[in-house]
Amino acid sequence: MSEVDAQRQYHTDAADRYDEMRGADADEDYRGLDRLSDIIGQQQMTPILEIVAPGRGLPYLKNCHDIRDVGVEPVAAQREKDCGKGLSREELIDGNALILALQDDGVDFGCAFGALHHIKDHRRVVSKTCWVAKTGIFSSGSHTFGEGSAVDRALKPTISVLELWQSFNLGMARGKGCNHFQGDRMFYSHSVFGEVPVVRKTFPALRSVTTTGSTGPNLYRQPPHITLFAGQ
């Protein structure tokens, strides 16, 4: 079974209990949703696209704003579960985040909450989202350089600068394509800051904020979770 098929099988089997399994982990993304909600209110954006796991973001945003929205979710069981949260089948579509069959500038805003670290080629997803978004994008997710002990956080940037990150990841994953396993759930090494070079080509104004707090001024080495807002 391929990594993609294994991911989809996991989410099919876990659809009914997925929200409960996330537990406190979801709090970080909901803090990000609060920030995006403020931005939507300020800029009066209406068409919103959410990439994968839309059962968390879109119902929350619809409850706060009068928006037109579309969510992309490739797992049928997860779509059925999320349609029970007030989303219609027109709003929650079967799709692949690596393709995004939407028009360029087809939505005001694209967003992802705790989703990109489950996708191997997450930079491609971000690039596709930038193509279809007219006003900007918002990403809330893991930041691998802020995870681990103080020693880990000090060493990781050095490993990256020396262009040894791929070898380091393979070693941590024991030669497997995925970096972590939790049951059958797969994770890939991911940092929201890694999306900056891709995003900046389309949306040059970037702002980043931690959702978990930081003990110092350097967001690159401190928090394990970051939100990135990019606009014109």
Side-chain angles (χ1 to χ4, degrees):
M1 182 181 292
S2 70
E3 293 174 10
V4 172
D5 288 341
Q7 282 272 40
R8 294 185 180 183
Q9 186 61 54
Y10 169 85
H11 284 281
T12 296
D13 296 340
D16 287 338
R17 62 185 191 280
Y18 186 66
D19 291 344
E20 180 181 350
M21 290 166 61
R22 284 190 57 82
D25 177 34
D27 292 345
E28 298 160 0
D29 291 321
Y30 280 116
R31 294 188 193 109
L33 276 166
D34 282 338
R35 292 194 173 95
L36 177 55
S37 179
D38 290 341
I39 293 169
I40 292 172
Q42 293 166 8
Q43 301 194 12
Q44 297 183 338
M45 296 178 293
T46 51
I48 306 295
L49 165 72
E50 185 177 6
I51 305 299
V52 190
R56 285 177 288 145
L58 293 185
Y60 181 97
L61 294 174
K62 283 189 67 178
N63 189 51
C64 298
H65 305 280
D66 182 17
I67 60 172
R68 292 185 291 114
D69 48 49
V70 60
V72 176
E73 171 56 65
V75 178
Q78 191 66 56
R79 290 198 304 274
E80 287 298 317
K81 175 69 181 298
D82 292 340
C83 281
K85 301 176 183 178
L87 298 177
S88 70
R89 284 175 172 76
E90 289 72 30
E91 293 172 312
L92 186 53
I93 63 173
D94 179 10
N96 186 333
L98 292 168
I99 299 173
L100 289 183
L102 299 169
Q103 294 181 349
D104 292 356
D105 295 340
V107 297
D108 274 351
F109 215 76
C111 58
F113 293 88
L116 295 179
H117 64 289
H118 294 302
I119 303 173
K120 189 171 186 177
D121 195 356
H122 40 256
R123 285 196 177 191
R124 183 179 171 191
V125 173
V126 173
S127 178
K128 293 288 185 181
T129 306
C130 287
W131 287 349
V132 301
K134 180 168 56 177
T135 302
I137 70 164
F138 189 96
S139 177
S140 173
S142 60
H143 174 48
T144 187
F145 296 103
E147 297 172 339
S149 66
V151 174
D152 290 338
R153 296 196 303 271
L155 288 176
K156 284 180 179 180
T158 302
I159 293 170
S160 180
V161 168
L162 294 175
E163 298 184 353
L164 298 173
W165 189 254
Q166 184 174 3
S167 298
F168 173 76
N169 268 330
L170 285 173
M172 293 295 292
R174 300 177 182 178
K176 299 178 181 178
C178 304
N179 294 81
H180 307 284
F181 290 85
Q182 180 180 325
D184 293 325
R185 193 178 183 201
M186 298 179 183
F187 298 80
Y188 298 94
S189 176
H190 172 260
S191 170
V192 170
F193 286 136
E195 300 160 12
V196 168
V198 178
V199 173
R200 185 170 278 153
K201 295 177 182 179
T202 307
F203 302 112
L206 283 77
R207 304 174 187 87
S208 57
V209 180
T210 175
T211 58
T212 56
S214 177
T215 58
N218 190 339
L219 291 184
Y220 195 77
R221 291 194 178 186
Q222 290 288 335
H225 197 278
I226 296 285
T227 63
L228 175 70
F229 165 55
Q232 299 287 358

